[in-house]
Amino acid sequence: MKNLKSVSVQVIDSDIALLLPNGVYEIKQMEPKSSRLRRIGYFCVALALFGIVGLGYFCPDKVCALSNKEASISLEDSMGKPLAQANSKVGLSYDDMLNDDFSFDMDSHDVMVFLHMQKTGGTSFGKHLVHDLDLKRPCTCPLTRKRCYCFRPHSNQSWLFSRYTTGWKCGLHADWTELTSCVDEKLDELEGNVVKRRYFYITLLREPVARYLSEFRHVQRGATWKGSRHYCRGRAASDAELPPCYRGQDWEGVSLDDFIDCDSNLAVNRQTRMLADLELVGCYDKAYMSKADRERTMLISAKKNLESLAFFGLTEHQKMSQYIFEETFNLRFAVPFEQNNATVSSSTMPTLTATQAAKIAALNNLDIELYKFAKGLLLKRFERLRARDADFDRRYSHLGELMGRSGVTEFDWDRLVEDVTVAH
């Protein structure tokens, strides 16, 4: 009879015998199926956790799921506030604001936040907000101070966050990224307490080529906006990220060609940049993603944020913008908005060469696309409001006419207006 090796068998989780180095097989009892299932479950959980951590490490803050379709970006933003996961604030959708029982609550914690983009007519609109609204407690603008007090009817808390009320608390001409990360904190500081507020972001846009040329002429006269912080993700943009276009105190006397040729000139596509969530594109770090992806993401974000703003108007459509504001907020201006078609930029356009005109249009391609979108959206809002207004014809033909107010502004704005190139 042949000599046989002592044999034992170990049945492990995979039901495969494990051969020991000495050639001896060990016999062990098979583990119950429930134990195997528990181990498999633990393994799956560990794998899922590893995947989540790995994704967060290798794709921090990037929009990894972005596709070529605009619908692929999900910005759960109802009123121009930050993304829900970044900062939860109370807000309403634009549709909610159009309900019959909605009103901007001056007595509660509703706050309008004016996103003032350069050369869009924001200075005139800002004056209308603090001087021409028909309010229970009108704003007061003492000449000893270059700001106005716009307080609630029964408290000394401000319902308006703007240049003419709070000053440039979030930086000179703060953009969407700066405002949405700053306003809450600044109002808490000003009012001395922490309050849950509803924020209603408002802004104006302007035809991009006209706006660009207006900014050029303003810079040519000596404006710099050096006080702008360009704050994003907890820090200001560095000189390496935004190299200055000029040396010295300002760019006074700059030629149009030199203005066009500066690669870091923030006049280019300013409206898209100021309305987009810049954290999606790595703030001002141009190496964060390709130029094509950066521009596409900024444009998508700017459109989504514009769509969710409580109000936006267009410089070229003053009357329509006034009507939309009044109907949206259930507030009335005591003066009609003026449509000024004779501007500095309009006198500059005929002097452009064909090459200059083509360059300016190409440079501002994102703003041109955004403005086209804005015009369509403004018209939709206007038609929707008009359709539900049984008294539209009379209302629209008498905008700015209120009983008891003549609409004549006696206020000396020249004594109030501060230098817009300085932050306070």
Side-chain angles (χ1 to χ4, degrees):
M1 185 174 174
K2 291 185 177 179
N3 292 329
L4 297 177
K5 289 186 177 180
S6 172
V7 177
S8 64
V9 177
Q10 178 186 17
V11 182
I12 59 175
D13 289 348
S14 61
D15 291 336
I16 299 175
L18 175 65
L19 180 63
L20 299 179
N22 60 6
V24 176
Y25 294 87
E26 211 174 43
I27 296 179
K28 287 190 178 179
Q29 188 176 0
M30 180 186 295
E31 289 186 353
K33 183 177 286 187
S34 60
S35 175
R36 297 203 315 273
L37 291 176
R38 278 200 303 271
R39 290 195 180 188
I40 293 172
Y42 294 152
F43 176 76
C44 292
V45 171
L47 187 62
L49 290 174
F50 177 78
I52 293 171
V53 173
L55 181 64
Y57 181 81
F58 291 106
C59 190
D61 301 323
K62 288 184 184 251
V63 189
C64 300
L66 280 177
S67 71
N68 291 327
K69 296 181 179 178
E70 295 186 7
S72 62
I73 288 188
S74 176
L75 301 180
E76 296 177 0
D77 174 295
S78 62
M79 304 241 359
K81 64 183 185 301
L83 302 182
Q85 62 267 32
N87 193 357
S88 59
K89 296 181 182 178
V90 179
L92 300 177
S93 70
Y94 179 72
D95 288 341
D96 289 334
M97 294 176 63
L98 296 187
N99 288 338
D100 291 337
D101 59 350
F102 170 79
S103 64
F104 183 76
D105 195 346
M106 288 281 183
D107 276 322
S108 184
H109 300 295
D110 288 358
V111 179
M112 285 188 204
V113 182
F114 182 27
L115 196 168
H116 183 175
M117 295 185 281
Q118 290 94 319
K119 313 313 294 180
T120 59
T123 298
S124 296
F125 183 67
K127 294 174 183 178
H128 284 312
L129 288 173
V130 299
H131 192 262
D132 297 321
L133 275 175
D134 187 36
L135 303 171
K136 292 180 182 177
R137 184 181 181 182
C139 301
T140 56
C141 305
L143 293 177
T144 56
R145 190 172 181 271
K146 294 185 177 181
R147 294 189 197 117
C148 300
Y149 298 105
C150 291
F151 292 143
R152 304 185 189 281
H154 302 102
S155 72
N156 288 338
Q157 294 179 343
S158 181
W159 56 266
L160 176 62
F161 191 96
S162 75
R163 163 195 173 186
Y164 287 128
T165 54
T166 55
W168 303 109
K169 290 295 183 184
C170 292
L172 182 64
H173 286 285
D175 56 33
W176 188 94
T177 305
E178 293 175 295
L179 283 173
T180 54
S181 64
C182 164
V183 167
D184 216 29
E185 178 184 349
K186 292 301 180 182
L187 283 178
D188 285 344
E189 291 176 4
L190 286 171
E191 297 174 0
N193 60 342
V194 178
V195 176
K196 265 195 171 183
R197 306 178 184 89
R198 294 195 307 183
Y199 291 103
F200 298 79
Y201 282 76
I202 60 178
T203 195
L204 293 181
L205 288 85
R206 185 179 179 185
E207 193 285 316
V209 174
R211 197 218 63 80
Y212 179 86
L213 290 173
S214 182
E215 181 166 344
F216 157 65
R217 292 296 295 271
H218 200 51
V219 169
Q220 194 179 49
R221 294 191 297 268
T224 63
W225 297 296
K226 284 183 177 179
S228 297
R229 300 186 308 167
H230 306 119
Y231 209 72
C232 182
R233 281 190 186 161
R235 69 173 182 86
S238 66
D239 286 343
E241 291 170 327
L242 288 178
C245 288
Y246 59 90
R247 296 178 181 179
Q249 294 299 312
D250 54 45
W251 213 2
E252 186 174 359
V254 61
S255 69
L256 180 57
D257 287 333
D258 287 342
F259 191 77
I260 291 172
D261 289 340
C262 179
D263 292 336
S264 56
N265 189 349
L266 291 179
V268 174
N269 290 318
R270 180 180 288 282
Q271 296 175 103
T272 301
R273 178 181 58 81
M274 291 187 70
L275 281 173
D277 180 357
L278 297 181
E279 291 191 9
L280 295 174
V281 295
C283 300
Y284 293 90
D285 181 5
K286 299 293 180 62
Y288 189 79
M289 60 174 59
S290 69
K291 181 180 178 181
D293 285 344
R294 178 182 179 83
E295 291 186 348
R296 179 175 58 84
T297 304
M298 282 176 58
L299 182 59
I300 295 171
S301 178
K303 286 181 177 181
K304 288 294 293 182
N305 288 337
L306 180 69
E307 194 171 23
S308 63
L309 294 187
F311 164 79
F312 73 90
L314 298 182
T315 309
E316 292 76 16
H317 298 279
Q318 293 287 331
K319 190 172 185 178
M320 188 185 298
S321 299
Q322 179 175 356
Y323 176 77
I324 292 173
F325 180 95
E326 291 187 359
E327 289 299 302
T328 300
F329 286 103
N330 288 321
L331 295 171
R332 299 291 182 262
F333 288 102
V335 297
F337 290 5
E338 294 183 4
Q339 186 69 56
N340 185 8
N341 294 321
T343 62
V344 172
S345 61
S346 64
S347 63
T348 304
M349 286 186 183
T351 69
L352 298 179
T353 66
T355 300
Q356 288 173 331
K359 282 184 178 180
I360 291 171
L363 283 173
N364 291 280
N365 64 317
L366 300 183
D367 272 10
I368 290 172
E369 176 62 28
L370 177 65
Y371 188 77
K372 179 181 177 182
F373 174 81
K375 284 200 297 184
L377 183 58
L378 189 80
L379 184 60
K380 286 180 183 177
R381 291 189 176 187
F382 176 70
E383 293 295 344
R384 183 174 178 181
L385 291 168
R386 180 170 69 171
R388 72 174 199 169
D389 186 355
D391 198 28
F392 172 78
D393 290 336
R394 188 197 64 81
R395 272 273 298 123
Y396 201 66
S397 61
H398 294 282
L399 284 175
E401 299 177 15
L402 297 179
M403 292 291 291
R405 293 194 63 170
S406 64
V408 178
T409 300
E410 300 293 343
F411 195 75
D412 187 357
W413 279 108
D414 290 335
R415 295 180 60 187
L416 173 69
V417 176
E418 64 198 44
D419 182 0
V420 296
T421 66
V422 180
H424 296 283

